Amino acid sequence: MTEAAALPGQPRGGVISGRATARAHCVLAPNPSPMTLDGTNTWIVAEPDSDLAVVIDPGPLDDAHLRAVVETAERAGHRVALTLLTHGHPDHADGAARFAELTGTPVRALDPALRLGDEGLGAGDVITTGGLELRVVPTPGHTADSLSFHLPADGAVLTGDTILGRGTTVVAHPDGRLGDYLDSLRRLRSLTVDDGVSTVLPGHGPVLNDAQGAVEFYLAHRAHRLAQVETAVEAGHGTPAEVVASVYADVDRSLWPAAELSVRAQLDYLGEHGLI
């Protein structure tokens, strides 16, 4: 899902696996790849003095990883009471049903097809488990069902794939839409400006402790790519594949299929706004 090697914000350095804030602990899934970076970050979130924890994105269907998440929570004195999903991509959600079996927890998500239990997730919802407060922030764009979770007590936001700890994310056309994604980034920027969010806890890559810098980087990157795509079309590159070869020439070719999804989303956006 990365498109560039540039680092948004100020990463703490290295692969994040372990405690990231007073309330958030990462267990890194063993699924590294060009698309997943070092692997999927599974987050255990709990009040320090609570016996209950929330797990966000159990990750792939890897029994050893799922058991490691449970064991990590238990070593900290927590019982997993709830599972949340930022979105339905397999590297985040394929292990959810098995994790629910291991923990006896419901799974809450925006997409009804991903839920296990009666409750979903939506804009304005507030999760209160074991005294923890997580606020649901709709952040569509990478996918239509993408959510972020604001952790006010730590000045942090868990962003799934909307903002990564390294590189940039794909707008996964046709499900993902660029206009939605830009709106989501602006929504996250408002959290950094108005709500004291300083830390990004991403779905992949290291923690970022300059949340506003990360969001600004992403917005600037998108504007730059959009201008490049528009220029490529004006130069006669008529297909998404041709645009990718022109605009993403400096990107590893293994990422070109993912880049083409973003290009298709950008072409749709430019067309909708009468720019091509």
Side-chain angles (χ1 to χ4, degrees):
M1 66 196 59
T2 62
E3 297 171 357
L7 294 174
Q10 297 296 320
R12 291 184 176 169
V15 175
I16 181 66
S17 186
R19 184 153 302 282
T21 70
R23 292 165 180 79
H25 187 109
C26 177
V27 181
L28 182 65
N31 60 334
S33 75
M35 293 293 288
T36 60
L37 304 181
D38 309 286
T40 301
N41 294 337
T42 295
W43 290 100
I44 302 168
V45 189
E47 284 295 316
D49 58 353
S50 174
D51 62 348
L52 301 180
V54 175
V55 166
I56 298 172
D57 289 349
L61 183 53
D62 181 302
D63 214 62
H65 170 65
L66 300 176
R67 291 182 182 277
V69 174
V70 174
E71 292 166 3
T72 300
E74 289 177 346
R75 282 197 301 270
H78 306 306
R79 175 178 63 82
V80 179
L82 177 63
T83 303
L84 306 176
L85 298 177
T86 61
H87 65 298
H89 278 170
D91 56 313
H92 293 257
D94 265 9
R98 174 58 179 152
F99 192 70
E101 290 179 1
L102 291 173
T103 59
T105 62
V107 177
R108 297 181 63 181
L110 179 61
D111 184 348
L114 299 171
R115 301 172 189 167
L116 294 173
D118 295 331
E119 288 189 281
L121 290 171
D125 286 352
V126 179
I127 311 299
T128 54
T129 299
L132 181 76
E133 180 180 322
L134 283 171
R135 301 174 185 172
V136 178
V137 182
T139 47
H142 170 66
T143 61
D145 69 330
S146 287
L147 298 172
S148 295
F149 299 99
H150 178 199
L151 178 57
D154 285 350
V157 62
L158 298 105
T159 54
D161 285 355
T162 299
I163 292 179
L164 305 178
R166 187 169 69 248
T168 56
T169 201
V170 166
V171 179
H173 180 276
D175 182 47
R177 295 176 56 83
L178 181 58
D180 290 342
Y181 186 65
L182 294 174
D183 287 343
S184 293
L185 291 177
R186 296 181 188 109
R187 192 170 297 119
L188 291 173
R189 181 171 58 186
S190 74
L191 290 180
T192 72
V193 173
D194 301 327
D195 295 281
V197 167
S198 59
T199 303
V200 174
L201 307 175
H204 303 274
V207 168
L208 303 175
N209 44 1
D210 178 9
Q212 187 171 354
V215 176
E216 296 294 354
F217 175 91
Y218 267 57
L219 285 166
H221 171 80
R222 280 290 154 216
H224 178 62
R225 283 296 194 214
L226 198 60
Q228 287 180 309
V229 170
E230 186 176 3
T231 298
V233 172
E234 291 171 351
H237 299 289
T239 68
E242 291 172 351
V243 173
V244 168
S246 172
V247 173
Y248 292 82
D250 60 338
V251 173
D252 188 321
R253 282 177 175 258
S254 69
L255 298 175
W256 280 17
E260 185 169 327
L261 297 179
S262 282
V263 164
R264 289 179 181 274
Q266 289 170 95
L267 291 171
D268 279 359
Y269 181 88
L270 290 169
E272 290 165 3
H273 288 78
L275 299 172
I276 59 171

